[in-house]
Every structure is written in structure tokens, then in C-alpha cells.
Amino acid sequence: MSLSSGIQTPAQAISSLTNKWGWFIVLGILMLMLGGIAFGNLLFATVASVYYVGITILIAGIVQIIQAFSVQTWKSFFFWMLSGALYAAAGVLTFLNPLLASSIFTIFIAAALLGSGVFRMWVAFQSRSVKGWGWMFVGGLITALAGVVIAIGWPVNSLWILGMFLAIDLVFQGWALIVLGFGLKTMRG
């Protein structure tokens, strides 16, 4: 029985997924295989990641340019048009020079990891009165150190670091889907 608006409860949604447990396992195996391929050629996986980001940026730029024509004032039109043009140009440049783009993305990732790690250590230090604050501090320290290690290896590691992140993500997502599929199978029986 579903709600009158057609929205399922969480229990109903899970129940409807139990019949599709095999698809989760197949998708998980496929993602594991793609992760293995990515680990086998990290440069190719890096370029694929850069192209994915590039197409996303290009599409966002085109949408913003289209949005520019729907605004009423010159000031708003100029803002949207300039913003869209810059996004689209960044997307095109990503395709023209994916290795330079991977270098830029890699240093941004290093900075983001470093900043995030330092911030988490600061929050943990401020929360010393809370039990378990040390774990948050250690997690932040590891994240900050990962940022430092990536920055030290830059720009050479930009040839493989994005591909490694993609490969790791595919493998973990694959395992998660396989475990979910077997869990749904168990619930079904």
C-alpha cells in the first residue's frame, strides 16, 4: 500500500528492490571490472575523468548562455552571458589540453584536501570536551597529509592521480552494490 500521493515509504521502496537484487550484483561486478581497467591504465582513466569534467563544464556554460537570453535587464544579461562564455571556454580548453586540465584539477584537489583537513583538525581541537574528538583530529590530519603529498608530487602526479581516484571510486561502488544486492537477496528469501 502506498501513500495517496504515490510516494512509497522506505520499507515499500526496499521491498520493491528485493526483486531486482541480481541487477545490483551485475552492476557491482561491472563497476569492479571498470575499476580494474582504470587501475590498469591510470593515464587513460585520468583523461577520461578530465573529459567528463570538461563536458560538464561545457554544458553548464551553454545552459548559462541560453539563460542569458531569458533575463530582462542588460546587467543580468551581461553577467549570465559572461559567466556562460567563461564556463564554455573552460570546457573547450579542457578538451584541447586534457593534460594541462588534469594538472590544474590535481592542484585544486590538493588544496581542497589540505584545507578540509586543517579545518577538521581545528573543529576537532575546538571540540576537545566531546568524547571521540581525537578520531576527528586524526581523520583531518590524514586528509591534510594527503593534500600535502599530492601537492609535493605535483605536476607529475597529475598524470595519474585523477585516474586513481576514479579507479578507487569504481571499486568501492562496485563492492557496495554487490553487498547491497546480496543483502536484498537475503531480505527476499
Side-chain angles (χ1 to χ4, degrees):
M1 178 182 288
S2 64
L3 300 173
S4 62
S5 65
I7 299 174
Q8 293 181 330
T9 65
Q12 290 170 328
I14 291 173
S15 176
S16 69
L17 290 177
T18 58
N19 294 331
K20 299 188 177 36
W21 64 270
W23 287 107
F24 286 97
I25 293 173
V26 168
L27 181 59
I29 291 169
L30 178 63
M31 291 183 86
L32 277 175
M33 289 171 31
L34 290 172
I37 291 169
F39 270 122
N41 191 342
L42 292 176
L43 176 61
F44 175 76
T46 294
V47 172
S49 299
V50 168
Y51 281 158
Y52 174 78
V53 172
I55 194 73
T56 305
I57 293 170
L58 181 60
I59 290 170
I62 292 168
V63 169
Q64 285 187 347
I65 290 170
I66 293 168
Q67 166 67 21
F69 291 101
S70 69
V71 296
Q72 300 297 319
T73 65
W74 171 252
K75 182 178 178 183
S76 295
F77 172 82
F78 180 73
F79 168 76
W80 284 105
M81 183 58 79
L82 179 62
S83 178
L86 290 173
Y87 257 80
V92 168
L93 290 175
T94 299
F95 282 99
L96 294 177
N97 195 340
L99 296 180
L100 175 63
S102 73
S103 181
I104 293 168
F105 293 158
T106 301
I107 199 65
F108 281 162
I109 288 172
L113 288 172
L114 180 60
S116 173
V118 168
F119 179 73
R120 279 194 271 160
M121 288 188 304
W122 178 77
V123 168
F125 189 74
Q126 298 298 317
S127 305
R128 289 186 313 267
S129 62
V130 178
K131 185 178 179 179
W133 73 273
W135 287 105
M136 181 183 237
F137 186 86
V138 169
L141 179 64
I142 290 170
T143 300
L145 287 175
V148 168
V149 167
I150 291 171
I152 289 171
W154 185 82
V156 174
N157 63 2
S158 62
L159 296 173
W160 57 268
I161 202 82
L162 298 174
M164 185 185 69
F165 284 169
L166 175 63
I168 290 169
D169 182 59
L170 287 169
V171 167
F172 275 96
Q173 290 298 320
W175 279 116
L177 287 170
I178 290 169
V179 170
L180 176 65
F182 280 118
L184 289 170
K185 181 182 179 190
T186 302
M187 287 179 66
R188 183 174 184 229

